């Protein structure tokens, strides 16, 4: 992608370099003194506050409702999770407000979603209350308050109202619109929540129906990590994304395609009762992790390489892997393993030791540079190990191995029926055909080693 469209296009100033903290608070009944009182009707009597580019009547309530506060806290957690910004509740001594202050009220402009009063000012951090970092939400925008969303109405996760909180808090922490052209479709929210343009496959729907990113996206995470450093404590143990990993693999995250309930595929239900497609970026700082799409019947395209996009569910390029972050020369945010479902899946590994499982369907498994295990499952599959000492698992069906290297790679035949040992394999189940080696079992399933010779194979090349 063009450099001018990269994460650098949204970079601004930061509150600190990753070694500090940013206090946040919710505005109560007292407007901070840095917002000036004004006379709006010329009668000589001050009757409103000037807030950013708008005005708030003295009669307006500007404290957030419970549902608004909950959504703001969810946005705080989302940005903390990927970066070292270190947002913490608190106020500046004697000021009654934090460095970042959340508030909402009814502005006259019904099309206004929200805004920030100013970008970060590191000189004021923790010392001087200022407009910088104040996040305002417009209750007068019909897309912000939805019927059925909590007891008091309010924003809905995955909806445009949620995106307002994620977007505006991004501004408050130092992110700008991409190339200061937020409506450019080439910089959609597939890449950054700082864009106004919808994901390419969501553009046909109105704002109420569209799916919006559930997390900061690829460029957002890169930019925030450049400003504040990476949060290296996020999900450092084994984690299973989307499915349940068979219940034995680790903590569960983003459970939108569990084996127990996959009828709707990769969708999330908001408090408004509507299901929306899932769009998110995975940031994971450690552990032996798994993307489990085994509950899906749709074709998955899972790419484990950092900085790439996958198709998991109903729309293309909806799941991104965060760009690589290295400590002491090693990438810390690899996702190691991936499982496909019953569709025709494509799984691609990365620089870690990957375990790729295709399961049903006609799958294509591509290992990376590590020592990988590739198992196509029961369909007609293509297995490509790539670099490293790889293990190819034959689980039935009709598979092809493109790059088997004798003496380095191995073939696991423990699932093949009727093959007792290497002598039995050589005598009864392995033959040469048109420059390839063909292995079959008693069920009639077969495996083809492309461009291989029988004389190059030995017992050490097989697991039986």
């Amino acid at each position: 992608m063009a450099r001018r469209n990269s994460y650098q296009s949204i970079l601004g100033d930061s509150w600190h370099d990753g070694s500090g903290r940013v206090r946040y608070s919710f505005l109560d009944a007292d407007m901070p003194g840095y917002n000036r009182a004004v006379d709006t009707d010329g009668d000589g009597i001050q009757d409103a506050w000037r807030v950013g580019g708008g005005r708030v009547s003295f009669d307006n309530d500007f404290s957030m409702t419970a549902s608004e506060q909950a959504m703001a806290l969810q946005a705080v957690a989302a940005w903390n999770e990927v970066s070292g910004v270190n947002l913490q509740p608190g106020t500046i001594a004697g000021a009654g407000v934090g460095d970042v202050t959340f508030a909402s009220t009814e502005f006259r402009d019904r099309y206004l979603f929200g805004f920030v009063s100013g970008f970060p000012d590191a000189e004021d951090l923790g010392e001087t209350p200022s407009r910088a970092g104040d996040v305002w939400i417009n209750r007068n925008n019909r897309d912000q308050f939805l019927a059925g969303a909590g007891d008091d109405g309010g924003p809905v996760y995955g909806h445009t109202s949620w995106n307002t909180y994620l977007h505006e808090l991004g501004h408050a922490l130092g992110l700008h619109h991409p190339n200061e052209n937020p409506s450019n479709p080439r910089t959609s929210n597939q890449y950054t929540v700082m864009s106004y343009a919808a994901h390419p496959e969501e553009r046909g729907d109105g704002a109420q129906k569209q799916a919006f990113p559930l997390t900061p996206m690829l460029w957002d995470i890169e930019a925030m990590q450049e400003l504040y450093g990476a949060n290296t404590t996020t999900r450092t143990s084994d984690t299973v994304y989307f499915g349940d990993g068979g219940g034995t693999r680790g903590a569960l995250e983003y459970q939108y395609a569990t084996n127990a309930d996959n009828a709707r595929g990769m969708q999330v239900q908001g408090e408004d009762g509507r299901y929306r497609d899932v769009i998110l970026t995975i940031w994971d700082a450690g552990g032996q992790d798994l993307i489990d799409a085994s509950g899906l019947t749709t074709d998955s395209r899972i790419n484990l390489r950092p900085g790439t996009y996958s198709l998991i569910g109903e729309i293309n390029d909806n799941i991104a892997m965060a760009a690589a972050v290295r400590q002491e020369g090693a990438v810390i945010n690899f996702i190691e393993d991936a499982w496909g479902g019953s569709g025709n899946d494509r799984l691609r590994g990365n620089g870690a030791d990957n375990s790729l499982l295709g399961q049903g369907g006609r799958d294509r498994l591509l290992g990376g540079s590590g020592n990988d295990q590739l198992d196509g499952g029961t369909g007609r599959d293509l297995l490509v190990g790539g670099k490293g000492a790889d293990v190819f698992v034959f689980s039935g069906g009709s598979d092809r191995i493109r790059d088997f290297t004798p003496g380095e790679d191995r073939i696991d035949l423990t699932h093949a029926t009727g093959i007792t040992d290497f002598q039995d394999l050589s005598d009864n189940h392995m033959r040469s055909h048109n420059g390839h080696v063909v292995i079959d079992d008693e069920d009639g399933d077969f495996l083809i080693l492309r461009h291989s010779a029988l004389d190059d194979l030995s017992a050490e090349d097989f697991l039986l």
Side-chain angles (χ1 to χ4, degrees), residues 118-394:
F119 289 100
D121 187 343
E123 293 184 356
D124 290 339
L125 181 65
E127 299 291 337
T128 305
S130 69
R131 296 181 182 87
D134 284 4
V135 175
W136 284 88
I137 303 298
N138 183 18
R139 288 187 209 152
N140 202 28
N141 184 307
R142 69 182 183 88
D143 287 328
Q144 293 300 325
F145 271 65
L146 304 173
D151 294 335
D152 53 4
V156 169
Y157 191 50
H159 175 263
T160 182
S161 52
W162 154 248
N163 186 72
T164 300
Y165 288 76
L166 204 56
H167 177 106
E168 299 303 342
L169 183 53
H171 280 319
L173 301 180
L175 302 187
H176 290 209
H177 296 136
N179 296 314
E180 293 305 335
N181 185 7
S183 297
N184 184 343
R186 290 180 297 175
T187 56
S188 71
N189 64 34
Q190 175 186 339
Y191 303 102
T192 169
V193 300
M194 307 313 296
S195 172
Y196 292 168
H199 187 287
E201 296 206 19
E202 296 291 316
R203 289 175 192 161
D205 296 327
Q208 291 286 352
K209 296 181 179 179
Q210 283 178 12
F212 285 79
L214 303 180
T215 69
M217 293 303 288
L218 179 62
W219 294 0
D220 304 315
I221 296 174
E222 288 184 272
M224 285 290 285
Q225 290 179 347
E226 180 159 323
L227 293 176
Y228 298 101
N231 186 340
T232 59
T233 66
T234 299
R235 292 188 285 275
T236 55
S237 59
D238 299 347
T239 306
V240 179
Y241 294 92
F242 307 128
D244 61 19
T248 62
R249 286 293 303 260
L252 305 182
E253 194 69 44
Y254 305 140
Q255 293 299 287
Y256 305 121
T258 62
N259 294 325
D261 181 16
N262 66 305
R264 300 182 183 90
M266 284 281 293
Q267 294 184 313
V268 60
Q269 185 180 21
E271 291 183 35
D272 59 346
R274 183 184 296 277
Y275 283 90
R276 295 180 176 85
D277 295 314
V278 169
I279 303 170
L280 58 82
T281 298
I282 294 175
W283 166 251
D284 183 296
Q288 185 75 24
D289 307 307
L290 166 67
I291 290 182
D292 177 8
S294 62
L296 296 180
T297 58
T298 52
D299 299 343
S300 297
R301 303 287 183 268
I302 302 175
N303 193 335
L304 298 180
R305 294 180 299 173
T308 64
Y309 284 83
S310 296
L311 157 61
I312 307 176
E314 302 293 335
I315 63 174
N316 287 312
D317 296 331
N318 60 324
I319 307 298
M321 306 298 157
V325 170
R326 291 176 171 81
Q327 285 187 340
E328 299 178 355
V331 175
I332 65 170
N333 60 307
F334 278 138
I335 303 297
E336 288 78 11
D337 305 330
W339 294 353
S342 59
N344 301 323
D345 304 317
R346 182 185 176 103
L347 312 181
R348 189 181 190 98
N350 51 36
D353 295 341
N354 304 130
S355 176
L356 307 179
L357 173 60
Q359 311 232 47
R362 187 170 182 172
D363 304 317
R364 184 180 179 94
L365 276 56
L366 308 173
S369 57
N371 301 324
D372 306 316
Q373 177 173 293
L374 287 74
D375 183 349
T378 57
R380 183 180 180 184
D381 310 309
L382 173 65
L383 313 179
V384 182
K387 298 179 180 179
D390 304 312
V391 175
F392 300 91
V393 180
F394 180 53

Side-chain angles (χ1 to χ4, degrees), residues 21-42:
R21 66 170 175 165
V22 179
R23 299 167 179 84
Y24 69 87
S25 63
F26 294 95
L27 205 57
D28 54 23
D30 296 322
M31 182 69 77
Y34 50 74
N35 288 313
R36 187 166 59 91
V38 295
D39 172 12
T40 60
D41 55 13

Side-chain angles (χ1 to χ4, degrees), residues 32 43 68 111 118 140 149 152 193 399 447 455:
D43 64 357
E68 289 178 308
Y111 296 98
N140 202 28
D152 53 4
V193 300
D399 294 347
L447 172 67
D455 292 343

